[in-house]
Amino acid sequence: MRGARTRNYDAIVVGGGIVGCATAYYSARAGLRVLVVEASNIAAQQSGRNLGFVRQQGRDFRELELMIHAARLWPQLEAELGRDIGWRQGGNLALATDESDRERLARWARRAADYGLDTQMVSREKAMALAPKLAAPFVGAMYTASDGKAEPARTTCAFYDAARALGAEAVIGAHVDEIVMSGGGVAGVRIGGKLFHSDRVVCAAGAGTGKLLRKAGLVFPQSTVRATVVRTEAVPFDIAPCVSGRVAGIRQAVDGTLHLSVAGGDYDLGTSVFSDFRWFRHALRESHGAVTLNYLHAFKRLLPDRSPAAVPDLATGKADPRPSPAKAKAALDEFDSLFPALAKRRVVGSWAGLIESTPDMIPAIGSVSGIIGLLVASGFSGHGFGPGPMVGKILADLLCGKAEPAYLSHLSPDRFARAVWSPQPVMS
């Protein structure tokens, strides 16, 4: 554990992912004395292991306005942070495999126009011009030019480094045992028996959020899905947009390599399955095979790991989840069908991360009723990288006493305790 200099802070941020690091940066920029607490390493969890899409396209409409605000931040971040994050505004291309699929995408695009989004339906020929070597038998695509992509770990670390340069402190490699309460509000966090004082705490602990909040007496259902990413060797030309096929997402990184992942992942059944099931039964039922129920994962962790090596610059944690060979194969198979001229590219690495989800598959962001000074940002359900910087900015504003944006009304962390949530996605 690398420690902080004191134990008294204006705000304590639990979690060293993109949301936590962005919160620390914007808070330190506003003059707050901030402490970041991370149980593993900065960007070692899902913020450094995701696919790197920065997309407005295809989102649940309850979170779309948040993402539209986030998309306006991304083009400025490299200049503001003074660091290269691999940002590129190359757009997002979602392929329609048949006419019913095209109509589904078109319905989303028509409603997105009400938000001022630049999403449009494009022909097969236009899609192939946007993504060289794309040659799959699809009938059209949805395209959002203002979407982009970035390097996940690099971006998260850029926020962290910028926060530290502004005076933010950190405790790295130590778990928060509990969020300490006193007199109806937070009093700080306890780490290894030591109390770090603050009357403002942000819980952005990713897959660990539910456990911490339950200890504080809050109803916060949370489940995790293990998502696999594959990296292939570089290709000698530019694929500017991110591409979403029937099941797989594809991003070309700044070094020319291709990063592939299948939507969904492996739901590793454990001792919490019975308590979780009442909350997540609808999400699992509607996953249509994207999420695989895995009964044997705990046993398989005892066996030798024969998966391809992770890439050298991937931040590692204390217990990195294993990639799924089946999910890796599904991603590669679809890539080969979409880009036949690039089929059988050599795999140079693979890794997995834990996607933490809420029962309605949208995040929980904001204050908690009845607990003064506690803010939550979690449950991003596999699409938190894109909104991460904006969420950090919002949380810093809330720490400074500013009002909560109206567009967060559907994302209240209290919605599960108050039974005002719906498992049905708002997609059209």
Side-chain angles (χ1 to χ4, degrees):
M1 180 178 81
R2 301 193 293 276
R5 291 191 293 274
T6 75
R7 295 189 195 166
N8 295 281
Y9 298 91
D10 296 323
I12 296 176
V13 179
V14 183
I18 189 168
V19 171
C21 292
T23 302
Y25 166 72
Y26 288 113
S27 298
R29 195 180 71 172
L32 299 186
R33 187 173 191 177
V34 186
L35 174 69
V36 177
V37 186
E38 165 54 42
S40 185
N41 294 315
I42 298 300
Q45 303 306 317
Q46 190 59 16
S47 287
R49 294 168 176 269
N50 64 81
L51 199 51
F53 281 31
V54 178
R55 65 170 178 86
Q56 303 155 96
Q57 180 173 286
R59 285 185 177 264
D60 189 303
F61 282 97
R62 293 171 291 184
E63 65 175 356
L64 179 59
E65 196 168 352
L66 166 66
M67 188 58 221
I68 289 173
H69 282 82
R72 296 169 185 160
L73 278 183
W74 277 94
Q76 311 161 23
L77 288 180
E78 288 187 327
E80 180 174 341
L81 299 175
R83 291 155 177 84
D84 175 15
I85 62 173
W87 164 252
R88 178 148 186 208
Q89 197 165 32
N92 196 302
L93 193 64
L95 307 180
T97 56
D98 54 33
E99 290 301 329
S100 64
D101 202 23
R102 178 157 57 183
E103 178 51 35
R104 176 183 60 83
L105 295 176
R107 284 197 304 272
W108 192 95
R110 287 193 293 269
R111 181 165 177 183
D114 295 337
Y115 291 78
L117 202 57
D118 60 336
T119 301
Q120 58 180 304
M121 297 302 295
V122 298
S123 67
R124 184 173 184 271
E125 291 71 27
K126 173 67 172 176
M128 292 170 68
L130 290 165
K133 307 297 184 182
L134 178 63
F138 61 98
V139 299
M142 180 169 68
Y143 178 62
T144 305
S146 58
D147 283 350
K149 56 187 176 181
E151 298 301 314
R154 191 183 298 184
T155 304
T156 303
C157 291
F159 271 111
Y160 176 75
D161 291 343
R164 292 302 302 270
L166 291 172
E169 297 181 31
V171 175
I172 306 298
H175 285 274
V176 170
D177 301 316
E178 64 173 324
I179 299 170
V180 179
M181 307 293 177
S182 177
V186 298
V189 301
R190 198 176 305 280
I191 305 171
K194 298 177 181 179
L195 178 61
F196 291 75
H197 298 274
S198 180
D199 59 3
R200 287 168 284 186
V201 171
V202 175
C203 188
T209 297
K211 182 178 179 180
L212 274 177
L213 294 182
R214 285 192 294 272
K215 281 186 177 180
L218 302 177
V219 176
F220 191 78
Q222 184 182 46
S223 185
T224 57
V225 171
R226 181 168 45 94
T228 294
V229 179
V230 178
R231 182 182 185 180
T232 77
E233 61 186 332
V235 297
F237 54 84
D238 181 31
I239 303 176
C242 294
V243 178
S244 297
R246 185 177 59 84
V247 298
I250 301 161
R251 174 181 70 91
Q252 187 176 36
V254 291
D255 61 359
T257 61
L258 299 170
H259 293 211
L260 323 173
S261 183
V262 175
D266 291 280
Y267 183 69
D268 299 322
L269 299 174
T271 57
S272 65
V273 64
F274 298 107
S275 60
D276 289 346
F277 187 73
R278 69 185 182 92
W279 291 103
F280 290 92
R281 62 183 183 274
H282 178 84
L284 290 171
R285 187 171 61 246
E286 296 300 313
S287 66
H288 301 298
V291 175
T292 302
L293 301 181
N294 193 331
Y295 296 87
L296 300 176
H297 184 60
F299 170 73
K300 287 180 178 179
R301 289 191 65 87
L302 302 175
L303 301 177
D305 187 357
R306 303 188 186 281
S307 56
V311 294
D313 58 351
L314 187 75
T316 57
K318 294 180 179 178
D320 295 336
R322 286 187 179 184
S324 162
K327 296 296 182 185
K329 183 178 184 302
L332 290 163
D333 286 348
E334 179 156 59
F335 173 76
D336 289 350
S337 71
L338 294 176
F339 293 88
L342 303 175
K344 309 305 178 185
R345 303 297 297 186
R346 183 172 61 91
V347 173
V348 297
S350 68
W351 60 91
L354 296 180
I355 294 174
E356 33 90 27
S357 301
T358 57
D360 52 8
M361 303 299 289
I362 55 175
I365 303 168
S367 57
V368 175
S369 299
I371 302 181
I372 300 168
L374 178 60
L375 299 176
V376 174
S378 191
F380 288 90
S381 305
H383 34 89
F385 180 64
M390 188 65 204
V391 175
K393 192 172 189 298
I394 291 169
L395 293 172
D397 286 345
L398 295 179
L399 291 171
C400 292
K402 296 183 180 180
E404 200 163 278
Y407 55 78
L408 292 187
S409 61
H410 294 294
L411 308 180
S412 168
D414 294 331
R415 65 185 185 269
F416 304 108
R418 293 187 287 114
V420 293
W421 66 283
S422 169
Q424 299 289 344
V426 181
M427 298 298 292
S428 63

